[in-house]
Amino acid sequence: MKQLLKLCQQEEKKLGQLGLQRNNAQTRINDIEQQKQLLSQMVSDYTQFSVKGGTAMMLQNSAQMIQVIEPMQKQLLRKQLLLQQEHQRMDNLWRRQLGRQQGIHWLYQERKQQLQYQQDRQEQKQLDDLAGRYATT
């Protein structure tokens, strides 16, 4: 019974750790999404600046900035895709661990209930035996 309780506690700990990893992956995905949005806004701003016109040097600077930002956007997109795959993997592990943890917890509760039932029966039998002895004397 103690071993089952210890196993139950270990499984809960694993579940908590996987939950943290899953949440961390989601946070990193959200951070990258914000970075992508900022870069997209920068490209939009530089594009609008080019459309409004300006000196040749300003147009050239805008075009260069857009060229610098585009690889950064692609890199963030690749990183985001990899993190999404990692998050999905962690989510699957977490779900499996949740099922395992719940199953072991159920088994622990079931065994605990059976043990209590046996103890209650044994106690009742002892009381019945004592009552029978006093009734016959």
Side-chain angles (χ1 to χ4, degrees), residues 30-42:
N30 294 343
D31 291 346
I32 287 176
E33 187 59 37
Q34 288 177 346
Q35 291 172 8
K36 282 175 46 187
Q37 288 174 358
L38 288 172
L39 289 176
S40 292
Q41 184 60 46
M42 289 174 70

Side-chain angles (χ1 to χ4, degrees), residues 57-68:
M57 182 176 262
M58 293 170 100
L59 292 173
Q60 185 179 2
N61 285 345
S62 292
Q64 287 176 343
M65 286 305 292
I66 291 171
Q67 287 177 347
V68 168

Side-chain angles (χ1 to χ4, degrees), residues 11-120:
E11 295 303 316
E12 286 176 14
K13 185 177 178 181
K14 286 179 190 176
L15 183 65
Q17 290 170 340
L18 287 171
L20 284 174
Q21 291 174 350
R22 184 179 73 151
N23 291 342
N24 288 340
Q26 184 61 53
T27 300
R28 291 191 320 249
I29 290 169
N30 294 343
D31 291 346
I32 287 176
E33 187 59 37
Q34 288 177 346
Q35 291 172 8
K36 282 175 46 187
Q37 288 174 358
L38 288 172
L39 289 176
S40 292
Q41 184 60 46
M42 289 174 70
V43 168
S44 177
D45 291 346
Y46 282 117
T47 303
Q48 297 242 340
F49 183 73
S50 296
V51 171
K52 289 180 183 176
T55 65
M57 182 176 262
M58 293 170 100
L59 292 173
Q60 185 179 2
N61 285 345
S62 292
Q64 287 176 343
M65 286 305 292
I66 291 171
Q67 287 177 347
V68 168
I69 292 172
E70 285 176 347
M72 293 167 68
Q73 287 177 308
K74 289 178 183 177
Q75 182 182 14
L76 282 175
L77 179 61
R78 281 192 298 272
K79 193 173 183 181
Q80 184 182 29
L81 291 173
L82 289 173
L83 281 172
Q84 285 172 338
Q85 289 174 351
E86 176 66 11
H87 180 265
Q88 184 64 40
R89 187 181 74 81
M90 292 307 300
D91 188 57
N92 289 339
L93 288 173
W94 182 83
R95 288 175 190 275
R96 275 188 248 139
Q97 183 63 28
L98 177 63
R100 178 176 166 81
Q101 183 270 335
Q102 287 177 336
I104 290 172
H105 183 73
W106 177 86
L107 180 61
Y108 171 73
Q109 292 298 331
E110 187 70 22
R111 295 265 172 91
K112 185 176 167 183
Q113 189 177 22
Q114 288 174 357
L115 184 60
Q116 184 63 45
Y117 177 73
Q118 288 173 352
Q119 289 173 346
D120 290 347

